[in-house]
Amino acid sequence: MKKDLRRVVIAGNWKMNKTRSESTELLKQLSDISANNDVIVVTCVPFTNLETALAVTKGTAIKVGAQNVHFEKNGAFTGEISADMLKELGVEYVVIGHSERRQYFGETDETVNLRTKAALDAGLIPLMCVGELLEEREACITEEVLARQIKLDMAGFTADQVKKTVIAYEPVWAIGTGKTATAEQAGEACGFIRSVIAKLHGNDVANAVTIQYGGSMNAKNATELLAQADVDGGLIGGASLIADDFKAIINAAVSG
Ligand code: 13P
């Protein structure tokens, strides 16, 4: 019941894949996805493909997202892109705090917090990523890690900002490894994240937040993962680069 109140978001994170011509080809293959008010479909493409993606997806049910955003409005930040720049293009979503950015590019909970706030201020919808490392799961501190990330990454948020943020639970050990969290593990972790939000902001806010699962989600396991009460969609890497696989995941969400 409560799940019916939430937006289901199926988002493809293309990471550093697809040139402009390759993007056009993939997006054209996806363009017949039919609009559905209950399931939002997003493709998060490299910065260089945003304009192309917006043009190719015009009039389709596919929304376009970026994969990062800087927290300052403008200035001497070579190589960075601001929220206003994305917004003016027509971009609606942005991935923030992906574990690859935390791991390889020095992203911290503090910068995730700043970037997410900047995105919200500009009217973008953040897909804010959290998740534990393998050693943290093995040390049985998954909940501690997730609680800390949610508290720090959303520090100072109003209830309305929390509600507008889509949270992606991505256990780092399941990303690109072919090792999916079991549906039960995914459901438990997403439920735990919701309970942390409930403690901070109350049940109404917690029940309104979309929480995705990400990590080796594919055409075969999507139905089971998406059937979990607290899993409201997916953030999909590898399988979002193959039109038929991404469509199968969308279908699993639509018929779920
Ligand atoms: P994979 O689906 O390739 O495991 O990637 C998940 C991910 O990192 C999405 O952001």
Side-chain angles (χ1 to χ4, degrees):
M1 211 294 267
K2 290 197 177 106
K3 195 166 178 168
D4 295 345
L5 301 173
R6 298 191 283 270
R7 297 165 289 173
V8 170
V9 181
I10 300 292
N13 175 10
W14 290 10
K15 309 191 180 183
M16 195 175 72
N17 291 294
K18 303 287 176 194
T19 62
R20 190 161 66 161
S21 53
E22 290 164 348
S23 304
T24 304
E25 202 178 316
L26 176 54
L27 289 165
K28 281 191 176 153
Q29 290 167 359
L30 294 173
S31 61
D32 60 352
I33 289 166
S34 52
N36 179 304
N37 289 337
D38 301 326
V39 178
I40 297 167
V41 178
V42 187
T43 51
C44 299
V45 305
F47 286 131
T48 49
N49 298 345
L50 286 170
E51 269 197 295
T52 303
L54 286 159
V56 177
T57 58
K58 204 169 181 179
T60 74
I62 304 167
K63 300 193 181 291
V64 174
Q67 297 173 16
N68 190 23
V69 65
H70 195 60
F71 41 85
E72 294 291 350
K73 281 201 92 61
N74 51 45
F77 301 102
T78 302
E80 294 295 325
I81 300 285
S82 77
D84 288 343
M85 291 172 187
L86 296 176
K87 185 71 185 171
E88 192 192 70
L89 278 186
V91 171
E92 291 180 76
Y93 288 78
V94 58
V95 178
I96 296 176
H98 192 279
S99 63
E100 286 148 18
R101 295 219 55 90
R102 293 179 190 252
Q103 201 176 344
Y104 307 131
F105 302 103
E107 195 81 63
T108 63
D109 289 313
E110 191 189 357
T111 56
V112 171
N113 175 260
L114 292 171
R115 287 181 208 273
T116 308
K117 269 194 205 150
L120 289 164
D121 286 347
L124 298 168
I125 300 177
L127 306 174
M128 195 194 81
C129 305
V130 297
E132 81 286 0
L133 305 170
L134 181 60
E135 54 265 38
E136 291 168 335
R137 178 158 283 267
E138 284 174 351
C140 300
I141 56 167
T142 297
E143 293 194 346
E144 199 177 314
V145 171
L146 294 177
R148 189 188 66 229
Q149 289 177 335
I150 292 295
K151 279 179 198 153
L152 296 176
D153 296 354
M154 302 184 110
F157 281 27
T158 62
D160 191 49
Q161 287 175 320
V162 174
K163 278 196 216 170
K164 283 189 178 138
T165 302
V166 173
I167 297 172
Y169 166 62
E170 297 208 321
V172 181
W173 48 272
I175 294 176
T177 57
K179 222 179 180 188
T180 324
T182 62
E184 198 182 27
Q185 285 172 324
E188 259 174 30
C190 291
F192 175 75
I193 289 169
R194 202 177 303 287
S195 74
V196 174
I197 296 170
K199 271 193 205 127
L200 295 169
H201 293 278
N203 283 333
D204 286 354
V205 174
N207 282 327
V209 179
T210 296
I211 305 180
Q212 303 172 305
Y213 168 77
S216 301
M217 189 185 272
N218 58 39
K220 290 207 178 93
N221 59 29
T223 302
E224 201 188 354
L225 287 162
L226 295 170
Q228 295 295 307
D230 282 300
V231 176
D232 311 313
L235 186 55
I236 300 115
S240 73
L241 298 170
I242 302 158
D244 285 346
D245 289 5
F246 194 51
K247 283 184 190 177
I249 297 171
I250 295 163
N251 286 338
V254 170
S255 52

